[in-house]
Amino acid sequence: MSTDTTPEPAEQPQTPPGQPDGTGPARELPAVVQRLWGAAAPRRRGPRPALSAAQIVQAAMDLADAEGLAAVSMARVADAVGYTPMAIYRHVSGKEELLVLMSDAVAAELPDIPDGTGWRAGLERWTRAQIELGIARPWMLELPLSAAPPGPNRVRWLDQAFGVLRPLDLPPDEKLAVVGLLAQHVLGEARVHIESRRAAVQHVRREAGLPERTPESELDPAAIEAANPYADFETALARYADPQTYPNLFEAFATWPESSTTAPTDDDIAFGIAVVLDGVEAYFRRRGALPDDRS
C-alpha cells in the first residue's frame, strides 16, 4: 500500500540546482507561491487520496474552456470531479489559490524551439506560442494579476527565453526587460483577437436571431469573418476621411491600395511580432550585443 508523504500540488519541494537550502532572498514568499512550488503543504501519512490537486485544477480548466472563467467556482469544480466542496478544500485552500494553480498549469507545455535556433527566430516562436495559447484559452487573459505569481511552469517559459538569449552579451535584467516587453505584446495581441472574435460571433448570432448560447461551431465561419469589427477598417478610412477634417489620413489613403507595394502580410500575428522584434534588434545592436554578421 502506498503512503502519501509528499506535499501537493507539486510532487517534491524544489530547490534550484546549485543553491544551498536556506539561501536566497530573505523576504518570505506568499504561502500560495510556496504551495505552488510544493514547499508549504503539510505532509500526510496514510493511503494516497483518490482526489488530487492536479485533478481539481484540470476540472477547473475544463470548465473555463467550456464556459469561461466566470463558471469556475469551488462548488462547480467539486461537482465536476464528483466530490463534495469540503473534499476540494482539503487540497486547495480556496478559489484564489485555484486560480493561481490554473495560471501555472495552463503553461505546462513549452513551444518547440530546437537547439541552435537563432535568437530572433527563437523569440518569434516563443512569443507566437503564447499568443496562440491565449487565443485558444481566452480565460487566461481574464485571470487577475494576483493569480500569476512565478510558478514552476511559467518559470520554465522564462528559462526557455533566457536560453534563446544566452548568446547575447547583455546583463540579465536587460534580458528580463526584453522578455517582459514581449509578454506585454502577447497580452495586447491576444486580447484584440479574442475581443474582435467575440464581437463578430455575437453579431452573427443577433443577425440570425439565434440564442446567445448558440455554439460558435454552429455559425457560418464566413459570416463571422465578415462581421469582424476590423474587417473593413482601412476601407472605411479611405471612404470617409475627408481632406478638411482628417487631412493626414486623407493624404495617406488617397491612392490606397494602388500605391501599396509592400503591404503587411495577412498573418497579422507574425507582422506584429516582426515589428516588435525589429525594435528589439535595434536595441541589441545599440547595446553592442549582436555580432557584426547581423545574426
Side-chain angles (χ1 to χ4, degrees):
M1 178 183 297
S2 65
T3 59
D4 180 13
T5 60
T6 56
E8 283 191 308
E11 287 297 320
Q12 296 288 348
Q14 300 176 29
T15 299
Q19 177 179 310
D21 292 342
T23 65
R27 188 173 73 86
E28 186 74 7
L29 291 170
V32 67
V33 176
Q34 295 183 52
R35 276 181 57 78
L36 186 60
W37 285 85
R43 294 176 179 269
R44 296 186 301 274
R45 294 193 176 277
R48 182 178 293 274
L51 183 63
S52 68
Q55 290 173 276
I56 294 167
V57 172
Q58 184 59 56
M61 292 197 297
D62 291 343
L63 264 175
D65 286 340
E67 302 180 39
L69 192 63
V72 176
S73 68
M74 300 298 280
R76 288 289 305 276
V77 172
D79 184 63
V81 295
Y83 283 79
T84 65
M86 186 60 68
I88 298 293
Y89 281 104
R90 295 192 186 103
H91 299 269
V92 180
S93 64
K95 185 173 180 180
E96 181 179 354
E97 182 174 338
L98 179 60
L99 295 180
V100 170
L101 298 178
M102 290 170 65
S103 173
D104 195 62
V106 76
E109 293 187 17
L110 290 172
D112 180 24
I113 304 179
D115 292 341
T117 302
W119 74 266
R120 180 164 180 139
L123 287 185
E124 193 279 333
R125 287 192 181 202
W126 186 85
T127 305
R128 187 179 189 110
Q130 291 184 76
I131 293 172
E132 291 177 345
L133 180 59
I135 293 173
R137 307 185 100 159
W139 56 266
M140 285 177 53
L141 275 68
E142 299 173 17
L143 289 166
L145 288 177
S146 60
N153 289 326
R154 285 179 172 271
V155 172
R156 285 173 64 231
W157 279 75
L158 180 60
D159 183 74
Q160 186 180 50
F162 266 64
V164 169
L165 294 171
R166 186 174 185 178
L168 305 186
D169 185 17
L170 279 175
D173 59 332
E174 292 188 41
K175 291 181 178 180
L176 191 60
V178 168
V179 172
L181 172 68
L182 294 174
Q184 292 179 56
H185 177 70
V186 166
L187 292 174
E189 184 76 15
R191 187 173 296 282
V192 168
H193 280 266
I194 291 167
E195 295 298 332
S196 59
R197 183 79 177 185
R198 283 176 177 167
V201 168
Q202 290 171 358
H203 176 82
V204 171
R205 287 189 186 119
R206 286 196 303 268
E207 290 296 303
L210 296 172
E212 180 104 8
R213 287 188 166 276
T214 303
E216 183 179 329
S217 59
E218 297 181 12
L219 305 178
D220 180 5
I224 294 175
E225 190 70 26
N228 187 307
Y230 295 107
D232 298 317
F233 187 66
E234 293 92 343
T235 301
L237 290 178
R239 181 174 302 173
Y240 298 118
D242 64 85
Q244 289 76 34
T245 311
Y246 312 102
N248 300 304
L249 285 171
F250 178 82
E251 180 183 358
F253 281 90
T255 57
W256 181 84
E258 292 82 0
S259 63
S260 179
T261 58
T262 57
T265 172
D266 288 338
D267 184 352
D268 52 353
I269 292 179
F271 175 75
I273 296 174
V275 171
V276 173
L277 290 181
D278 283 348
V280 170
E281 181 173 348
Y283 175 77
F284 286 165
R285 295 196 183 286
R286 189 166 68 249
R287 296 287 285 116
L290 288 178
D292 292 339
D293 63 1
R294 304 185 70 84
S295 60

